[in-house]
Each structure stands twice: as C-alpha cells, then as structure tokens.
C-alpha cells in the first residue's frame, strides 16, 4: 500500500505541470531476444513478458509536448523525455492516438492508446532495441488496460 501511495505521489509531482491524457497498466505480451551479445543461443528466442506492477502514463505539457511516464520492473518512475527520449506524435484518430519514442542509437518504441469497439480502453507498446550502446538486443509487443484516456485533451 505504501508503494502505491508513493507511486501516485511521484507521478503527481512529475506531471504537476502537465495534463494527464492516459493512465494504463498491467502490460503483457511477447519479447524476442536474438542470439547476440550476452544472449547465448540457448537463451535466445521468444519469451512471455508481463510487468504486473507496470504503469504507463501519457502526458502533455503546457508547451504541447507529449511525454511517456512509466514505472518499470524495478519500480522506478521514468520520464521518456528526462531519460533522453524524443516523443513524437504519430497518428491521431477519434478513438486512438500513437506516439513514437526514440532514444537515438538505442531504442524505438511506439505507444498506441485506443478505445476498442467494445468500449474498452487499452494500449499497445512495441519496442525495438539494438545498437552498440544496448546491453540486451530485444523486440517486443505488449498490451495493457487503461483506466482512462482523454482523447479530447490531445
């Protein structure tokens, strides 16, 4: 319970000057680890992935810039922008919105926030990580549920 209170307070302080657009959690999916670097042939291939304590938020600051805030598997709160990422809007529909997050020389991620035809809110996260600065090369796709997405505030 203390962790949840702390995470909520930390998210609130990180996004104090930003509008929360979406809040999502519980991502799960598949990751692919090629045989490269520290990954040996026996350890390469597809893996089921889940971040049970994972939280992802889409925010927009007063200058109109988007950011992705997330709690990772280590339970640390990270801002994509503060971590060196560039957040670029990709597509906008009546009930969907996607951003590209680029960490030059390392990683490209796409976050898509949407309302499905049944009225459920979810997000999709795709990742491609490779390069000389990357410890573990990986590609993955994950899906999670959203408690809200404010499409009117995009």
């Amino acid at each position: 319970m203390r962790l949840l209170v702390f995470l909520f307070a930390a998210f609130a302080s990180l996004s104090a000057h930003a509008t929360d657009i979406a809040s999502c959690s519980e991502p799960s999916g598949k990751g692919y680890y090629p045989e490269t670097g520290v990954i040996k042939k026996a350890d390469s291939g597809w893996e089921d992935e889940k971040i049970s304590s994972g939280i992802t938020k889409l925010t927009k600051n007063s200058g109109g810039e988007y950011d992705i805030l997330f709690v990772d598997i280590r339970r640390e709160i990270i801002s994509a922008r503060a971590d060196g990422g560039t957040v670029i809007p990709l597509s906008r529909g009546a009930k969907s919105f996607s951003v590209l997050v680029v960490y030059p020389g390392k990683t490209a991620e796409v976050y898509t926030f949407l309302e499905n035809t049944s009225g459920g809110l979810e997000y999709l996260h795709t990742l491609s990580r490779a390069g000389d600065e990357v410890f573990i090369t990986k590609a993955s796709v994950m899906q999670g549920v959203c408690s809200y997405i404010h499409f009117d505030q995009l």
Side-chain angles (χ1 to χ4, degrees):
M1 186 61 165
R2 285 185 201 165
L3 176 63
L4 289 176
V5 170
F6 168 76
L7 292 175
F8 178 77
F11 264 133
S13 68
L14 277 175
S15 60
H17 302 290
T19 301
D20 284 349
I21 306 292
S23 181
C24 309
S25 61
E26 303 295 322
S28 64
K30 294 275 189 184
Y32 180 77
Y33 297 84
E35 177 191 0
T36 184
V38 298
I39 303 296
K40 305 299 179 214
K41 185 171 185 150
D43 299 321
S44 67
W46 289 99
E47 299 255 337
D48 289 332
E49 299 194 336
K50 182 174 185 167
I51 306 173
S52 57
S53 60
I55 299 170
T56 300
K57 285 190 135 188
L58 172 66
T59 65
K60 184 166 110 176
N61 68 21
S62 59
E65 297 174 315
Y66 292 97
D67 197 2
I68 296 289
L69 304 177
F70 58 94
V71 175
D72 69 1
I73 198 161
R74 298 166 299 186
R75 296 186 176 182
E76 294 180 12
I77 299 169
I78 298 170
S79 156
R81 286 186 174 280
D83 201 34
T86 301
V87 182
I88 305 162
L90 279 181
S91 65
R92 180 179 178 182
K95 295 187 179 193
S96 66
F97 183 69
S98 296
V99 294
L100 169 67
V101 180
V102 177
Y103 298 90
K106 299 177 186 175
T107 304
E109 300 175 289
V110 175
Y111 291 84
T112 299
F113 302 88
L114 60 93
E115 180 179 334
N116 61 38
T117 54
S118 299
L121 301 174
E122 59 184 298
Y123 81 112
L124 309 172
H125 175 223
T126 58
L127 171 140
S128 179
R129 179 181 301 141
D132 292 342
E133 296 181 44
V134 173
F135 185 65
I136 296 176
T137 299
K138 173 185 176 180
S140 68
V141 61
M142 299 182 85
Q143 180 274 345
V145 297
C146 299
S147 56
Y148 62 83
I149 304 173
H150 300 300
F151 294 107
D152 61 329
Q153 295 180 17
L154 291 168

